Amino acid sequence: MISPQSVMYEDEFHRIQGAIETLLGAANARVVFVVDKNGQLMAAAGDVDQLDTTSLASLTAGNIAATGGIAKLLRENEFATQFHEGKNAHIHIQLVSQRVILVVIFDAKSSLGLVRLRVRKTTEELTAIFEAMNKRPVDARAGSPFAEITDDDIDNLFND
Amino acid sequence: MPFINLMAREINCKIVYYGPGLCGKTTNLEFIHGHTKAESRGKLVKLATDSERTLYFDFLPFELGDVNGFKTRLHLYTVPGQVYYDASRKLILKGIDGCVFVADSQLARADSNEEALENLKLNLLEYDLKLADIPYVIQYNKRDLPSALSVEELRGVLNPYLVPEFEAVAHEGTGVFETLRAIGRLVFRDLKKSYGAQAALGANPQRAR
């Protein structure tokens, strides 16, 4: 048996989504999203239709993992913040609560200073949400996909 | 660690293709990408050198279908096989839900296979995992080459515990989907089992590995 599962319930999703939508407006950003350190997209806000958010999530997590590896070699705990400046789009990446990544994509309508300022506040908010998620148990909540799944259901997924 | 979004009703699992350099890990993903419906697969992301060797990882998100009203997705990753990319390989194993070890069947690559398998076991330990604890299958690739060892010989060295194994010629697609289906089934069965155990124990699902 491999692992505990990372389960996000509806109320948690709404709180995370609310926090990043507030950040989107306050930072005047194009897109804000939250990814877990394994590369899974948890929530996104803004102009996401034009973006391949799945690939972005995986690459961002890869980026954070690589930077974390560098930090370890330098005997640093982590590099919690990264910023990449492009010609038209810029990306600000913030590690939250050691386990999720907050990504803000913005353009000339905003500035790095404003994004940094707003990200700091949202980071506090998200930290509280994820710490609460960390503490609550997985059982006895409705809607689990595994409560009634059968081996036949699984086999059916992998039929030709 | 699978990610389950109860709001969007999605289950995402991470499967890593591991093996020595040039064994065909990327070729597996390329074949899957080239032979699945566009609507069920995402973009194949390759972080490779100019000479097409995997530098960091390849990534292919792949949609399976619905189960109990949940959308299920596999996120397929490869690792760079070359010995000196060990730091990157280690990182990619984070959050693994299932593993495919791709072995190169050629006699000349026998040592590299063994070395890569030992490296996999060692790197899993970084996450407190043992190979025996995770859904795991082996693919013997390059079966079309004249210098390929017999499956019995490969099994003797690489598969002492007799996990599911598949013969493959990945560039032609032989064995590619059989391997993927097998690891997918094992991952979901394991998920089902682990959910039952967690629920019974009231365990914390968020423990980071």
Side-chain angles (χ1 to χ4, degrees):
Chain A
M1 191 182 303
I2 185 163
S3 68
Q5 298 145 18
S6 184
V7 182
M8 182 166 63
Y9 293 105
E10 198 173 327
D11 51 336
E12 293 159 345
F13 174 81
H14 285 308
R15 290 178 66 198
I16 296 165
Q17 188 68 30
I20 65 172
E21 273 171 16
T22 304
L23 173 61
L24 182 80
N28 216 7
R30 266 166 56 182
V31 175
V32 178
F33 57 92
V34 178
V35 186
D36 78 1
K37 276 175 111 179
N38 301 329
Q40 314 277 11
L41 182 71
M42 302 181 87
D47 189 15
V48 287
D49 291 345
Q50 306 302 314
L51 283 176
D52 178 357
T53 45
T54 309
S55 297
L56 264 174
S58 156
L59 289 170
T60 308
N63 191 340
I64 282 285
T67 314
I70 295 169
K72 217 169 157 186
L73 291 175
L74 298 179
R75 295 185 184 153
E76 279 288 329
N77 188 24
E78 64 186 17
F79 294 122
T81 309
Q82 290 183 46
F83 171 62
H84 302 287
E85 187 173 7
K87 201 174 163 193
N88 300 309
H90 321 300
I91 184 163
H92 186 279
I93 302 172
Q94 178 72 41
L95 196 55
V96 177
S97 195
Q98 296 280 346
R99 59 181 294 267
V100 295
I101 304 157
L102 173 64
V103 182
V104 180
I105 299 172
F106 63 100
D107 55 24
K109 288 182 198 144
S110 186
S111 68
L112 178 58
L114 178 66
V115 169
R116 272 207 175 127
L117 184 72
R118 302 303 190 203
V119 160
R120 207 170 297 150
K121 187 168 183 296
T122 308
T123 299
E124 284 170 18
E125 219 172 307
L126 290 175
T127 299
I129 298 170
F130 285 107
E131 278 175 5
M133 276 172 80
N134 234 359
K135 286 176 192 154
R136 60 111 173 99
V138 72
D139 59 334
R141 297 281 303 250
S144 162
F146 297 105
E148 290 165 19
I149 191 173
T150 65
D151 285 351
D152 284 346
D153 291 332
I154 295 171
D155 283 342
N156 288 337
L157 273 180
F158 295 97
N159 287 340
D160 288 328
Chain B
M1 176 169 26
F3 176 66
I4 302 166
N5 182 342
L6 292 177
M7 173 67 194
R9 301 188 74 76
E10 283 177 4
I11 306 167
N12 296 325
C13 300
K14 178 174 182 176
I15 291 172
V16 178
Y17 283 67
Y18 211 94
L22 294 173
C23 68
K25 302 175 288 293
T26 300
T27 311
N28 265 271
L29 259 61
E30 284 171 339
F31 191 86
I32 294 164
H33 182 257
H35 292 81
T36 42
K37 288 181 208 151
E39 60 268 27
S40 64
R41 56 150 161 86
K43 202 183 281 177
L44 175 60
V45 175
K46 294 198 268 184
L47 301 180
T49 63
D50 290 343
S51 54
E52 287 290 300
R53 301 295 303 272
T54 303
L55 178 64
Y56 193 7
F57 60 80
D58 305 313
F59 169 67
L60 177 64
F62 181 82
E63 205 161 286
L64 290 167
D66 285 12
V67 64
N68 266 9
F70 279 78
K71 257 189 212 161
T72 55
R73 268 198 215 107
L74 298 180
H75 287 182
L76 309 180
Y77 285 81
T78 67
V79 297
Q82 288 153 289
V83 175
Y84 46 85
Y85 288 140
D86 194 42
S88 307
R89 268 196 297 279
K90 215 177 281 180
L91 298 175
I92 293 152
L93 290 176
K94 184 171 174 54
I96 187 173
D97 293 309
C99 184
V100 174
F101 185 83
V102 182
D104 187 327
S105 296
Q106 297 176 92
L107 170 63
R109 302 294 289 158
D111 288 348
S112 305
N113 288 330
E114 277 191 77
E115 202 180 325
L117 187 56
E118 284 310 309
N119 177 258
L120 169 61
K121 290 176 188 169
L122 203 65
N123 283 340
L124 282 171
L125 283 178
E126 290 272 322
Y127 301 100
D128 292 326
L129 287 173
K130 288 185 190 149
L131 201 46
D133 297 335
I134 67 170
Y136 168 58
V137 303
I138 296 184
Q139 180 187 83
Y140 305 122
N141 193 22
K142 307 196 184 183
R143 299 304 302 154
D144 56 331
L145 296 183
S147 59
L149 291 165
S150 71
V151 169
E152 289 71 27
E153 286 171 298
L154 290 162
R155 182 185 300 135
V157 177
L158 301 172
N159 193 9
Y161 301 113
L162 302 178
V163 299
E165 57 185 17
F166 300 89
E167 294 187 56
V169 183
H171 70 98
E172 291 173 0
T174 310
V176 169
F177 280 102
E178 289 82 348
T179 307
L180 179 65
R181 278 195 284 269
I183 190 64
R185 276 196 187 99
L186 288 179
V187 164
F188 276 87
R189 291 212 167 116
D190 186 73
L191 263 176
K192 188 183 162 208
K193 201 163 69 178
S194 82
Y195 176 79
Q198 277 181 63
L201 294 168
N204 181 343
Q206 299 294 334
R207 192 180 70 216
R209 282 206 313 266

